[in-house]
Amino acid sequence: MATRRAARKVTRPARFGGVRQLASGRYQARYKRDGKTYPAPDTFATEEDAWAWLTTVEASVVTGSWQAPNRVTPNLAEFGDRWITTHPRVKATTRAEYELTFTRHVEPYLGHLRLREITPGLVRQWQTNLKADLKASIPKGKRTATTRDGSATAARAYRLLTSICNAAIADRYLEVTPCTIPDAGRPHGRAGYEERPTLSAAEVGALADTVPERYRALVLVLAWAGLRIGEAAALRRCDMDLTPGAEAVRVSERAYYVAGRVDYDSPKSHAGKRRVPLPPHVASVLADHLGRFTGPDEDSLVFTTRTGGNCVNVAGPVITRRLDGMGRTDVRVYDLRHTGNTLAAIAGASQAELMRRMGHASADAAAGYLHTVEDHGRAVAQALSDVATGVSVVPLASRRRRSRAAG
């Protein structure tokens, strides 16, 4: 006779933490750890979302990665100011830029809020308001070299807020970042580098002939060597090698204008320390400049103002006025660097060579300067295809007339 098995009672494991519905209709998740109760930093729209959050916390407990969250969160003004002041890996100019951006464009809008009170919706509203305020405050001018709609400033402020919120996550004041707007850290949401206007070789020469004589060599170095103006302003006599056949400049410092004074620091990245070959025609002008405008000591600055000071904050406006006089209000002084590297690409420089010239560790920036060469190549290819298909035909008689005219 078959014996009846005793019924086994299946006991479900106790769920981690607990969920309750609040009077508002939303759900709050809580859990206990080491005798203390920890609520979720936010409430949830559904009970399932609350339990899902508890599952992630339980996983961190099981794996040993759980850490007690901070119970009291500071406001953004307090935490942001402390982060900017104590960040160990930023240059003096970057720290000054952070302070200015934070006090002008972040703190007045969001500074009073505690970190956990800043939501993605508030960040989106801040960006909308900031862009509108910036656009309304920008005076109209004749220069068209920059996009004067406040988008670059708004993007810079968004990048700063993102960095601060990431630091708050690392310090366990936040679980996730409220900065979730795609491409908000790029002006106009650009996914790549902005195409900048360039000067022709003839325009570079005309500009060099137009500026005061002490800045003529500076213009040529900026354009033909592709240096940043801060790098050129930090060059010293000992950085010059004008040996025929080996003409070059050594970039090892960069001049910054911070808090009313000039500061010297290393270039933007390790790759920024480099030796840049000089075209012979630039080296000859530079040799004349050293004899006329540079002190005799090896440590003497190559480019200076009339009073012998650093030119980093003076030469730029002088060059800009000459650009305006040439009708090139669309060009910035920084675009001389873009000009030089575009000309180098046209002359046949490879991507690796462009990276070395510019002092970039990333290939992305160098690739931007190859667009001109690639675009020209595509245009030639299209023209050849047009000839092959009969879309574009140059009559033989027309070619003969051109040949005779050229002769």
Side-chain angles (χ1 to χ4, degrees):
M1 183 176 179
T3 59
R4 298 178 62 184
R5 291 184 178 181
R8 296 173 58 191
K9 183 177 180 181
V10 179
T11 303
R12 293 180 179 274
R15 301 187 76 169
F16 179 83
V19 174
R20 65 172 180 169
Q21 188 174 24
L22 303 177
S24 63
R26 294 181 64 82
Y27 293 84
Q28 182 188 52
R30 298 181 297 177
Y31 64 96
K32 285 188 176 182
R33 181 73 174 158
D34 299 331
K36 297 180 180 179
T37 300
Y38 296 98
D42 298 300
T43 57
F44 302 90
T46 67
E47 185 178 1
E48 290 76 12
D49 290 341
W51 283 114
W53 180 84
L54 284 168
T55 299
T56 64
V57 177
E58 183 180 20
S60 69
V61 172
V62 172
T63 60
S65 61
W66 179 87
Q67 291 179 313
N70 286 295
R71 308 291 290 220
V72 179
T73 61
N75 60 33
L76 178 63
E78 176 188 347
F79 184 82
D81 181 70
R82 184 168 69 244
W83 180 81
I84 292 171
T85 303
T86 60
H87 196 302
R89 296 186 302 276
V90 297
K91 297 181 181 294
T93 46
T94 304
R95 199 182 306 279
E97 179 185 291
Y98 283 171
E99 291 173 351
L100 184 65
T101 299
F102 188 73
T103 56
R104 286 188 178 181
H105 308 304
V106 180
E107 186 178 358
Y109 298 82
L110 301 171
H112 63 286
L113 297 172
R114 295 198 176 277
L115 292 172
R116 292 192 184 278
E117 296 174 336
I118 302 174
T119 64
L122 287 175
V123 173
R124 288 193 297 271
Q125 187 61 53
W126 160 65
Q127 276 283 286
T128 300
N129 294 342
L130 177 60
K131 289 178 180 178
D133 292 344
L134 288 169
K135 190 171 184 179
S137 65
I138 294 174
K140 303 300 180 182
K142 65 177 182 178
R143 301 219 89 236
T144 60
T146 55
T147 305
R148 298 178 65 82
D149 61 358
S151 60
T153 301
R156 185 165 58 248
Y158 184 87
R159 292 194 300 270
L160 176 59
L161 179 62
T162 299
S163 296
I164 292 173
C165 289
N166 287 339
I169 292 173
D171 289 351
R172 304 194 305 278
Y173 287 118
L174 290 176
E175 300 290 335
V176 295
T177 179
C179 301
T180 58
I181 308 173
D183 289 329
R186 300 179 183 272
H188 304 297
R190 289 194 302 269
Y193 286 87
E194 180 184 11
E195 291 291 337
R196 293 297 312 167
T198 60
L199 299 178
S200 66
E203 287 176 315
V204 171
L207 177 62
D209 291 339
T210 303
V211 297
E213 285 189 295
R214 67 171 48 253
Y215 295 141
R216 181 167 184 260
L218 173 62
V219 168
L220 296 179
V221 167
L222 294 176
W224 290 104
L227 269 60
R228 302 174 178 90
I229 191 167
E231 294 172 339
L235 290 175
R236 301 178 187 275
R237 181 180 280 275
C238 59
D239 296 320
M240 304 293 105
D241 184 354
L242 302 183
T243 305
E247 302 93 335
V249 295
R250 180 184 62 193
V251 179
S252 59
E253 284 187 306
R254 189 179 181 190
Y256 303 85
Y257 196 76
V258 183
R261 66 179 182 86
V262 176
D263 186 40
Y264 295 92
D265 204 341
S266 59
K268 292 180 68 175
S269 67
H270 178 72
K273 292 185 176 182
R274 62 202 188 277
R275 180 182 170 91
V276 183
L278 285 175
H281 76 281
V282 177
S284 64
V285 175
L286 192 53
D288 177 69
H289 175 92
L290 291 175
R292 299 175 59 192
F293 300 110
T294 302
D297 296 338
E298 287 295 290
D299 201 42
S300 298
L301 290 172
V302 173
F303 302 110
T304 60
T305 64
R306 287 182 300 175
T307 58
N310 192 288
C311 69
V312 67
N313 205 43
V314 178
V318 173
I319 298 172
T320 298
R321 287 195 294 271
R322 299 311 191 275
L323 285 167
D324 292 347
M326 293 170 55
R328 292 306 306 266
T329 59
D330 61 322
V331 175
R332 304 174 302 183
V333 173
Y334 190 83
D335 293 329
L336 294 175
R337 170 174 162 84
H338 185 85
T339 293
N341 287 296
T342 300
L343 292 173
I346 293 173
S350 67
Q351 188 175 60
E353 288 167 336
L354 289 173
M355 288 173 61
R356 285 194 295 271
R357 283 174 56 85
M358 291 185 293
H360 278 298
S362 166
D364 292 341
Y369 296 106
L370 296 174
H371 289 167
T372 300
V373 180
E374 294 171 357
D375 290 345
H376 180 68
R378 282 192 291 270
V380 171
Q382 181 60 52
L384 290 172
S385 184
D386 290 344
V387 171
T389 57
V391 174
S392 175
V393 177
V394 180
L396 181 60
S398 174
R399 288 184 298 198
R400 286 174 177 166
R401 283 196 298 271
R402 292 181 188 172
S403 178
R404 287 195 297 269

